[in-house]
Amino acid sequence: MTSTIMRVSVAPLFLELFTSVTMINISFCIANSNVACIDSERQALLKLKQDLNDPSNRLASWNIGDGDCCAWDGVVCNNFTGHVLQLNLGNPDPNHGTGSKLVGKINPSLVDIKHLIHLDLSGNDFQGIHIPKYLGSLQNLRYLNLSGAEFAGVIPHQLGNLSNLHYLDLSKNFYELQVESFLWLSGLSLLEHLDLSQVDLSKSSDYLLTINSLPSLRVLKLSYCELHHFPSLSSANFSSLKALDLSGNHFNNSLFQYSSWVFGLRNLVFFDLGNNEFQGKIPIGLGNLTFLRRLDLSSNEFNSAIPGWLSKLNDLEFLSLRGNSLQGKISSMGLEKLTSIKTLDLSLNYELSGKIPTSFVRLCKLTSIDLSYVKLSQDLSQVLDIFSACDAYALESLVLRSCQCSGHLTNQLGQFKSLNRLRLGNNSLSGPLPSALGELTYLTDLDLSRNRLNGSIPLSLGQNLNLEYLDLSNNLLNGSIPLSLGKFSHLEYLDLSNNRMSGTLSENHFVNLTKLTSFSTSGNSLILQVNPNWVPPFQLDELLLRSCHLGPHFPSWLHSQKHLSDLDISNTRISDTIPRWFWNSISQYKFLNLSSNQIYGEIPNLDFDNRPSPLLPPSSGILDFSNNGFSGSIFHLICNGLKSISYLQLSKNYFSGDIPDCWMNWPGLGMLNLGNNNLTGSLPASIGTLSFLWSLNLRNNRLSGVIPASFQNCSGLVYLDMDENEFVGNIPTWMGERFSGLSILILRSNKFHGYLPIQLCRLTSLQILDVANNNLSGTIPRCISNFTAMATTDSSNLQNAISYVTMMDGTEAALDASVVTKGFMVEYDSILNLVRSIDISKNNFSGEIPMELTNLKGLQSLNLSHNFFTSKIPEKIGNMKSIESLDFSANQLSGEIPQSMSSLSFLNHLNLSNNHLTGKIPSSTQLQSFDSSCFAGNNLCGAPLPNCTGNNPLVPEDPNGNGNEDEDEVDWLLYLSLALGFVVGFWGFIGSLLVSRRWRYKYCHFLDGIMDEFGCFVRRCY
């Protein structure tokens, strides 16, 4: 946040504030001085250089051969006396890049430069040394800048001796600097600028009282100082204060309650309270600060409407309310009265809504506006009309991401000639890209991702030669990638992923992309066709080519990419082995996805000469080799080298052998998938050292043995699939005690025996329980109703929802599970979080089905088939309103089908066959729609069974011998029906022939014709 704030241009403001500090009214001379520098000071500078490592040769001019040190880079001398007055040794790289840092320590010879009034050592690396105490002896110093120079420890009180100091900056040493007492600061009575940002002030209680004794103070920056409150202060003596930065602390509303003096700083022009813990309404006292030009209240928890008094701040040029919980409509806040406003940021206020009012046409000085995640629900053409009405040339940055904007992008954009940033991602924009985009020649940042834009990329886009960031991903763009994109010599980020583009990418597309660091075309049908010996002009950090065509050979040009850390070449038709050079360089990757190819071969045993092996990515990395043809042991992958990754996916290969017992070296592993291989042996004890493991898939191997007791240490498990192995023994009781967050438990098709542990009832988050096809016995625990995740019908209320791994291109690598439902094995992945299922079929369970089972109202699939359950189906089975698949077949259930089953409106698979059920099938559209085989093997009647007549149900035989009369009655009716049918059928036909001579003649003629035809047929055949 701090870096973002500092990037905002406030140069005019600080030019006004700090002219007296940064400009020294003494005549200086560098190269044309008539007076050479003092020799003692030259020697002091040479000693200073000796203790500094200078990788970029910034101090190359500092040499013994050049006697005039006043001509050295960074040295400024007095024009008349030759004394060194200024040392400007700050890092010239504004981002403080390591290549241009001076590294080392400060030689004490610096104190010999006694006339020094300006010392800048900012942005270097002094490797955590303390600020030298002897700096306090440079009593003529007026300017001291040690910001971002990697100092540590307590700030020495000797700095209080610098009584002439006007400017002091000790900021950005990343909390390594501390202040225990501020008494030393009271000696700096002339101080005008004080910046202690990122200095730890949590142990100091006197900072405010001391700062209040500095009457000349104009700029005070205490951002990210671990401050929680201001000590009480009756009045503020620093009334001349013009800039106050308190951002990034832990202040709450008590700051305004007990420090009302803040509202009395009426000369403030810069006030930053961002990234604190303020809540409720924005304090009205801020309205007293009428000279404010910059006000930052971002990243707090203000939850009121934007106050109307803001419109009284007539001089306000910068306003950020980003990242709060503000409410109401934009049109009712009077923001159009801020006619001096240049930068307006209301983004990330999810409850703000309403269209941008037409009155915003009055904001003629507006250069930057960000309304991301504000629910505008507005046509983009209306927005552009508003901002072009006054002065379209003024607008430089328009950011409307996730604003529910709709409509088309039109050539209207061509009016905004000064735009350098246009971000309209994640809206509902449609239609083609307008050719007018090519007219925005100052554009450096263009994001149109996650819309419904179609058509091809216009050739005119190649005219935007200043583009540094281009994101057109997740649209409906088609056609080929134009060669003109290869002209973007400043382009650093290019994302065209998840569109419908096709065609060929050649070396010509990249010829001028020398600054490119991130490139993604994942999810397109592109063919990358380059010379095998091609050396790209760029050095990428990120390359994402999922589903493009790279194969069949492994891309050899990757060998040239020395900084690549994120690589996705999954599903790219590679059918090859991995070359040795790639194995040797694999340490550079934190994200590596080679899945869904036909890569084959074994993982080699690499020898790294006792160095940390670069075999695996660094911490929090992702490694996916799944769905390939890898074979052999995984020993070298698991037991050799660096193993600090969080996601390891090796499923659907041909790996064989034992699972290595080396998991103690994988402390950060969270997701492990070894499923669908040929692994054998038992589960190693060291698997229990994976304390962060939340997902383990061992499905479809040939693993055996008991589950080791050490496995219970993986207490964070959410997903466990051990399906189709040969594990034996009891299901451990500690699974229910230790795996409290478990959502999916699949132990199907193993050789487990014993009871279903009652402790499993503690798994309140369980969504899928599958122990089918084992040798389990006993009864279903009545506490099964404790599975609250199955008892609720609202999946959004679940606290332990199944997580997914987000890949580099924004797609999710979903967990998958194979579940038997509706009579078939179904593999779920993206909607796995919505599945609720219990399958205990093909075991030896017995007893009655507990009534408590019917409390699982969110359960969708229940399979109890092929067991020995007895008694009746629970009467309240109709309470399970979400049931879609129900299988009670091949048990010993008796009694009638409960009437409540007819109310299961979602039921579309039912199997009650091969039990001892009796009576009539309840009438309902749902039950009568099933095939009769669903009820076969019982004594049931009623539709859809064909052998049921009338309304009389078939009654089972009475064990006491009663009911024979009914049985005889049925037989008598059967015989009577047969006799009557014979009489009617036989005499109805024969009688008609006896009565009518004509009918007899016709019948005999018919028979003769049949015989003649038959005879002809026989003669033709023989």
Side-chain angles (χ1 to χ4, degrees):
M1 178 64 189
T2 302
S3 61
T4 302
I5 293 172
M6 296 305 295
R7 282 196 299 265
V8 178
S9 176
V10 289
L13 169 62
F14 285 102
L15 183 63
E16 175 186 333
L17 294 180
F18 313 133
T19 299
S20 62
V21 178
T22 58
M23 299 299 294
I24 309 298
N25 293 322
I26 300 177
S27 177
F28 297 138
C29 168
I30 301 177
N32 299 321
S33 174
N34 296 321
V35 181
C37 72
I38 309 300
D39 184 66
S40 62
E41 296 181 358
R42 186 172 69 88
Q43 294 299 324
L45 291 177
L46 289 173
K47 291 179 181 179
L48 182 66
K49 178 184 177 181
Q50 289 177 359
D51 286 344
L52 295 174
N53 182 21
D54 181 18
S56 60
N57 292 319
R58 290 165 49 196
L59 305 182
S61 61
W62 292 30
N63 58 75
I64 298 176
D66 187 353
D68 187 8
C69 63
C70 294
W72 294 355
D73 289 341
V75 179
V76 177
C77 298
N78 186 288
N79 191 35
F80 300 104
T81 65
H83 286 296
V84 174
L85 298 180
Q86 292 191 28
L87 282 180
N88 294 309
L89 301 181
N91 193 334
D93 183 350
N95 296 319
H96 291 176
T98 55
S100 55
K101 287 185 176 183
L102 299 176
V103 182
K105 62 181 181 180
I106 302 175
N107 192 287
S109 64
L110 183 65
V111 300
D112 295 333
I113 309 177
K114 300 184 182 299
H115 295 270
L116 195 65
I117 63 175
H118 183 110
L119 177 60
D120 185 355
L121 300 175
S122 62
N124 293 298
D125 185 2
F126 292 103
Q127 301 179 316
I129 66 172
H130 289 205
I131 295 175
K133 296 178 181 180
Y134 48 75
L135 290 183
S137 62
L138 299 172
Q139 296 188 1
N140 288 312
L141 267 186
R142 302 182 189 180
Y143 180 102
L144 177 59
N145 189 348
L146 304 180
S147 65
E150 308 295 337
F151 288 105
V154 177
I155 295 175
H157 65 84
Q158 286 82 358
L159 293 185
N161 297 330
L162 304 176
S163 57
N164 290 310
L165 205 61
H166 289 204
Y167 185 107
L168 177 60
D169 190 346
L170 305 177
S171 66
K172 299 176 186 176
N173 282 279
F174 301 105
Y175 301 104
E176 298 298 328
L177 282 178
Q178 305 173 25
V179 174
E180 294 181 350
S181 173
F182 265 87
L183 289 178
W184 59 271
L185 195 62
S186 59
L188 308 182
S189 58
L190 300 179
L191 199 63
E192 297 181 13
H193 182 113
L194 176 61
D195 191 347
L196 299 178
S197 299
Q198 298 182 15
V199 175
D200 187 353
L201 305 183
S202 60
K203 297 180 181 179
S204 175
S205 58
D206 60 346
Y207 66 93
L208 186 59
L209 291 175
T210 306
I211 291 173
N212 195 37
S213 66
L214 304 176
S216 301
L217 198 63
R218 291 171 174 262
V219 177
L220 176 61
K221 294 186 176 183
L222 301 176
S223 63
Y224 295 91
C225 290
E226 298 295 323
L227 296 174
H228 290 76
H229 65 280
F230 264 156
S232 58
L233 192 66
S234 57
S235 61
N237 292 332
F238 38 80
S239 57
S240 58
L241 198 66
K242 291 194 173 185
L244 178 59
D245 186 351
L246 302 176
S247 62
N249 288 290
H250 306 282
F251 292 122
N252 54 35
N253 292 49
S254 62
L255 173 69
F256 304 128
Q257 184 177 357
Y258 300 108
S259 303
S260 57
W261 56 266
V262 171
F263 303 134
L265 301 175
R266 298 182 180 275
N267 290 318
L268 274 185
V269 295
F270 178 108
F271 197 14
D272 192 342
L273 292 173
N275 277 284
N276 277 285
E277 299 170 8
F278 299 113
Q279 301 176 349
K281 295 182 178 180
I282 298 175
I284 193 172
L286 292 174
N288 298 331
L289 310 179
T290 53
F291 289 108
L292 275 179
R293 296 184 191 174
R294 178 187 173 103
L295 177 60
D296 193 337
L297 303 176
S298 62
S299 299
N300 283 285
E301 299 176 29
F302 292 118
N303 58 13
S304 62
I306 297 177
W309 53 258
L310 272 177
S311 61
K312 299 179 182 178
L313 305 180
N314 297 325
D315 295 332
L316 201 62
E317 298 177 358
F318 177 100
L319 174 62
S320 178
L321 300 174
R322 174 187 178 89
N324 282 281
S325 301
L326 298 173
Q327 303 173 5
K329 295 187 179 298
I330 296 177
S331 57
S332 61
M333 298 171 182
L335 295 175
E336 66 277 2
K337 298 179 181 179
L338 300 176
T339 53
S340 297
I341 200 75
K342 295 180 179 178
T343 300
L344 177 62
D345 191 345
L346 305 180
S347 63
L348 297 172
N349 284 281
Y350 300 99
E351 299 303 316
L352 272 183
S353 61
K355 298 180 178 181
I356 298 174
T358 56
S359 55
F360 269 36
V361 298
R362 300 171 57 187
L363 305 182
C364 296
K365 297 181 180 179
L366 192 66
T367 60
S368 174
I369 184 167
D370 190 344
L371 301 178
S372 297
Y373 294 94
V374 176
K375 292 177 283 192
L376 297 179
S377 300
Q378 194 168 9
D379 193 285
L380 181 64
S381 61
Q382 298 177 5
V383 176
L384 298 181
D385 283 340
I386 292 170
F387 291 128
S388 63
C390 184
D391 188 359
Y393 286 93
L395 197 62
E396 299 175 1
S397 176
L398 176 62
V399 182
L400 302 176
R401 297 189 75 251
S402 303
C403 287
Q404 301 179 9
C405 287
S406 57
H408 296 301
L409 283 173
T410 67
N411 287 328
Q412 186 181 15
L413 278 171
Q415 302 177 57
F416 298 89
K417 303 294 185 184
S418 299
L419 266 184
N420 57 54
R421 183 166 68 157
L422 177 61
R423 293 200 165 196
L424 305 176
N426 200 23
N427 283 289
S428 300
L429 302 176
S430 58
L433 295 174
S435 59
L437 283 173
E439 300 175 17
L440 306 179
T441 54
Y442 291 102
L443 202 61
T444 61
D445 185 335
L446 177 60
D447 180 4
L448 302 176
S449 63
R450 298 185 184 278
N451 283 285
R452 296 198 296 269
L453 300 170
N454 55 34
S456 58
I457 299 176
L459 295 176
S460 62
L461 191 61
Q463 301 172 22
N464 300 88
L465 298 181
N466 290 310
L467 268 180
E468 299 174 3
Y469 182 103
L470 176 59
D471 190 350
L472 302 177
S473 64
N474 295 280
N475 279 287
L476 305 174
L477 298 174
N478 54 34
S480 59
I481 298 177
L483 284 172
S484 57
L485 264 62
K487 300 177 181 179
F488 297 152
S489 58
H490 297 286
L491 195 64
E492 299 176 10
Y493 182 97
L494 176 59
D495 191 350
L496 305 174
S497 61
N498 301 315
N499 280 285
R500 299 176 179 178
M501 287 184 282
S502 58
T504 300
L505 281 174
S506 67
E507 299 171 24
N508 293 331
H509 284 87
F510 305 100
V511 64
N512 289 322
L513 303 184
T514 55
K515 294 186 178 180
L516 194 66
T517 59
S518 177
F519 178 57
S520 176
T521 59
S522 292
N524 288 288
S525 299
L526 294 165
I527 301 173
L528 186 61
Q529 199 170 69
V530 295
N531 189 292
N533 299 319
W534 178 51
V535 178
F538 45 69
Q539 284 291 325
L540 296 177
D541 298 326
E542 180 181 62
L543 175 62
L544 310 176
L545 302 176
R546 174 182 53 83
S547 299
C548 294
H549 188 173
L550 299 186
H553 300 296
F554 196 89
S556 57
W557 56 270
L558 289 177
H559 194 12
S560 67
Q561 300 301 295
K562 305 302 182 184
H563 306 303
L564 198 58
S565 60
D566 302 322
L567 175 63
D568 185 350
I569 51 175
S570 61
N571 191 28
T572 52
R573 306 185 191 182
I574 296 175
S575 179
D576 199 355
T577 58
I578 294 180
R580 183 60 178 255
W581 59 261
F582 189 81
W583 287 116
N584 290 340
S585 64
I586 206 169
S587 63
Q588 68 191 56
Y589 298 101
K590 65 180 181 181
F591 174 90
L592 178 59
N593 190 352
L594 307 180
S595 65
S596 301
N597 284 291
Q598 298 176 25
I599 301 173
Y600 54 91
E602 297 187 7
I603 297 174
N605 182 13
L606 302 180
D607 183 10
F608 294 103
D609 300 325
N610 298 321
R611 290 182 288 113
S613 168
L615 188 57
L616 288 179
S619 181
S620 300
I622 293 177
L623 178 63
D624 192 344
F625 286 176
S626 65
N627 200 18
N628 276 290
F630 288 106
S631 58
S633 172
I634 61 173
F635 178 85
H636 301 308
L637 187 66
I638 305 303
C639 295
N640 293 337
L642 188 65
K643 313 165 191 74
S644 302
I645 66 172
S646 60
Y647 177 100
L648 179 59
Q649 169 69 280
L650 303 178
S651 66
K652 299 179 181 178
N653 281 287
Y654 300 99
F655 290 118
S656 57
D658 293 348
I659 297 178
D661 195 10
C662 304
W663 299 100
M664 69 287 294
N665 298 321
W666 294 68
L669 190 63
M671 192 174 184
L672 174 61
N673 192 340
L674 302 177
N676 296 287
N677 282 288
N678 296 315
L679 299 171
T680 56
S682 58
L683 198 60
S686 64
I687 201 83
T689 62
L690 301 177
S691 56
F692 288 96
L693 192 68
W694 62 271
S695 173
L696 176 62
N697 190 335
L698 303 174
R699 176 196 318 156
N700 193 21
N701 281 283
R702 291 180 289 159
L703 300 170
S704 57
V706 298
I707 299 176
S710 63
F711 189 41
Q712 64 184 299
N713 296 326
C714 303
S715 55
L717 269 180
V718 175
Y719 173 103
L720 176 60
D721 188 346
M722 307 175 78
D723 181 17
E724 294 188 70
N725 282 285
E726 299 173 9
F727 289 110
V728 297
N730 296 319
I731 296 176
T733 58
W734 44 257
M735 276 193 174
E737 298 168 346
R738 300 286 296 170
F739 299 163
S740 58
L742 203 61
S743 293
I744 295 178
L745 177 59
I746 302 177
L747 305 177
R748 182 185 189 88
S749 298
N750 281 281
K751 297 178 180 179
F752 291 112
H753 58 78
Y755 296 149
L756 195 65
I758 194 172
Q759 289 83 357
L760 292 184
C761 293
R762 300 182 183 180
L763 303 178
T764 57
S765 301
L766 202 62
Q767 299 172 207
I768 296 176
L769 173 62
D770 190 346
V771 294
N773 199 16
N774 281 283
N775 296 315
L776 299 171
S777 57
T779 59
I780 299 177
R782 292 190 175 276
C783 58
I784 197 169
S785 59
N786 291 347
F787 294 157
T788 53
M790 301 182 188
T792 178
T793 57
D794 185 3
S795 60
S796 63
N797 290 333
L798 297 178
Q799 296 181 351
N800 297 306
I802 301 169
S803 301
Y804 303 112
V805 176
T806 302
M807 308 308 270
M808 294 305 300
D809 62 356
T811 59
E812 289 184 333
L815 295 173
D816 62 272
S818 296
V819 178
V820 173
T821 181
K822 303 177 185 178
F824 299 97
M825 181 72 77
V826 179
E827 185 168 312
Y828 292 97
D829 43 41
S830 60
I831 63 169
L832 182 60
N833 193 44
L834 305 176
V835 178
R836 309 286 182 271
S837 172
I838 292 179
D839 191 346
I840 62 173
S841 62
K842 298 181 181 179
N843 281 286
N844 300 311
F845 289 109
S846 58
E848 64 178 20
I849 300 174
M851 183 66 69
E852 289 78 6
L853 188 63
T854 63
N855 293 330
L856 304 181
K857 298 179 180 180
L859 195 65
Q860 298 156 340
S861 178
L862 176 61
N863 192 344
L864 309 182
S865 66
H866 296 276
N867 281 288
F868 299 96
F869 290 112
T870 57
S871 192
K872 298 180 177 181
I873 298 174
E875 287 291 335
K876 297 183 179 180
I877 193 75
N879 290 347
M880 305 177 76
K881 300 295 186 183
S882 300
I883 279 286
E884 300 175 15
S885 176
L886 190 63
D887 193 343
F888 289 168
S889 64
N891 279 286
Q892 299 175 13
L893 299 172
S894 58
E896 298 183 352
I897 298 175
Q899 184 65 37
S900 65
M901 190 177 286
S902 62
S903 65
L904 299 177
S905 55
F906 289 106
L907 189 66
N908 53 43
H909 176 83
L910 175 66
N911 193 348
L912 302 178
S913 64
N914 298 311
N915 280 283
H916 303 305
L917 300 173
T918 60
K920 182 181 179 181
I921 299 173
S923 298
S924 74
T925 304
Q926 205 74 11
L927 295 182
Q928 270 64 57
S929 65
F930 293 114
D931 188 81
S932 60
S933 61
C934 300
F935 303 97
N938 290 285
N939 292 315
L940 295 168
C941 73
L945 293 180
N947 66 336
C948 188
T949 59
N951 295 320
N952 297 319
L954 294 173
V955 181
E957 184 174 339
D958 191 326
N960 298 322
N962 299 325
N964 289 335
E965 294 176 358
D966 293 339
E967 186 177 57
D968 292 341
E969 181 180 357
V970 172
D971 290 344
W972 180 84
L973 289 173
L974 177 62
Y975 299 146
L976 180 61
S977 300
L978 288 174
L980 183 60
F982 175 78
V983 169
V984 173
F986 180 81
W987 288 108
F989 177 74
I990 298 299
S992 62
L993 295 179
L994 293 176
V995 171
S996 175
R997 180 181 177 182
R998 185 166 176 252
W999 285 7
R1000 288 198 303 273
Y1001 174 80
K1002 290 287 187 182
Y1003 180 68
C1004 291
H1005 182 71
F1006 171 75
L1007 291 178
D1008 289 340
I1010 293 276
M1011 292 303 295
D1012 290 340
E1013 290 289 329
F1014 180 75
C1016 292
F1017 175 79
V1018 172
R1019 284 193 295 272
R1020 284 197 299 269
C1021 292
Y1022 294 95

